[in-house]
Amino acid sequence: MNKKALWNISYGLYIVSTRYGNDLNGQIANTVFQVTSEPVKIAISINKKNHTHELIEKSKIFSVTILEKETPINFIGKFGFKSGREVNKFEGVRYKLGGSGAPIVTEHALASIECEVENAVDVGTHTLFIGKVINGEIYKDGEPMTYAYYHQVKGGTAPKTAPVMEEVPKKKYKMYRCRVCGYIYDPSKGDPENEIAPDTLFEDLPDNWVCPLCGATKQAFDPLD
């Protein structure tokens, strides 16, 4: 089987959030899709190892924030490469509690959807949670973030627990991969969000430069073979 065929499937980039008691958590997800229209239901795929999975199983509620295309990569990294068991991901982030009690991230959001879980399907490493939509809101007009844009333009990578396969980009210069989160520094793209111009070699990055996804230092990067 040629697994590269899977790279042609389109994905968005979302924040899935939930709450159980006083424990709030959210994570980046790219597998969110509508499954019925009457009543409106959507499905999300969440890795069983994630704290979000544990909380959704208990609370039976979740929200989905649809991110705008301009969302900074470090904002994505906060929800995608840090564990809610160790940090409060909502600290310093604009959010509100929905009618179900689930937190809804409103920062860098085009829209949000709030759901109550009606069914859960075990698909091996992940669970497919099927939720009945109880509310939806639009915050602004704009173009949504796609996984392709996040990967190709912003240089982002998928967390190890994501349900997608990762493609290693073709290289023009010697590239470096972060051992912590997998972010690949591509000199041809630089790091514009942190004022690093394209065609800046890794060796020429300032000593205080850190991974835009997880905040690791330059010492956490290895040359990409």
Side-chain angles (χ1 to χ4, degrees):
M1 180 180 71
N2 189 343
K3 294 184 178 180
K4 290 184 179 180
L6 299 171
W7 296 345
N8 291 288
I9 298 176
S10 298
Y11 298 92
L13 209 64
Y14 315 93
I15 296 178
V16 172
S17 305
T18 189
R19 172 191 180 189
Y20 183 70
N22 294 324
D23 196 351
L24 281 67
N25 199 54
Q27 67 163 76
I28 292 295
N30 57 15
T31 309
V32 176
F33 55 98
Q34 184 175 344
V35 292
T36 63
S37 58
E38 291 293 340
V40 182
K41 297 181 184 181
I42 66 172
I44 60 173
S45 181
I46 305 295
N47 193 288
K48 294 177 181 177
K49 296 179 180 179
N50 291 357
H51 190 44
T52 303
H53 184 283
E54 176 187 342
L55 298 184
I56 292 177
E57 274 194 319
K58 294 177 179 178
S59 67
K60 309 299 182 186
I61 56 173
F62 66 86
S63 72
V64 175
T65 295
I66 301 166
L67 296 171
E68 61 183 347
K69 188 176 182 179
E70 296 78 16
T71 302
I73 195 169
N74 59 356
F75 186 82
I76 296 171
K78 181 172 187 176
F79 284 92
F81 292 92
K82 298 181 186 297
S83 172
R85 297 185 178 94
E86 300 171 357
V87 299
N88 177 8
K89 296 186 182 183
F90 289 89
E91 184 177 356
V93 174
R94 293 196 303 271
Y95 74 96
K96 64 180 181 179
L97 296 180
S100 68
I104 301 171
V105 176
T106 58
E107 193 168 349
H108 302 295
L110 293 180
S112 66
I113 302 167
E114 191 177 2
C115 298
E116 294 177 346
V117 176
E118 287 199 341
N119 198 5
V121 181
D122 189 330
V123 291
T125 57
H126 291 63
T127 296
L128 199 64
F129 291 106
I130 300 171
K132 180 180 179 181
V133 176
I134 61 174
N135 193 32
E137 294 186 63
I138 295 177
Y139 304 111
K140 65 172 75 169
D141 292 329
E143 190 173 349
M145 173 77 78
T146 64
Y147 180 73
Y149 183 83
Y150 162 72
H151 178 74
Q152 296 168 8
V153 178
K154 290 187 174 285
T157 58
K160 294 178 181 179
T161 55
V164 299
M165 295 182 61
E166 192 68 44
E167 178 183 8
V168 176
K170 297 178 181 179
K171 56 183 179 178
K172 176 181 176 183
Y173 298 103
K174 189 173 185 178
M175 296 187 288
Y176 287 73
R177 187 196 297 271
C178 177
R179 293 193 299 273
V180 178
C181 71
Y183 171 83
I184 296 174
Y185 177 75
D186 183 350
S188 66
K189 297 177 181 178
D191 181 13
E193 292 183 3
N194 290 302
E195 300 181 348
I196 303 298
D199 299 319
T200 301
L201 298 178
F202 184 83
E203 294 81 2
D204 295 333
L205 290 172
D207 291 338
N208 62 351
W209 180 84
V210 296
C211 175
L213 265 182
C214 69
T217 65
K218 288 178 64 177
Q219 287 68 38
F221 281 73
D222 295 320
L224 185 64
D225 295 331

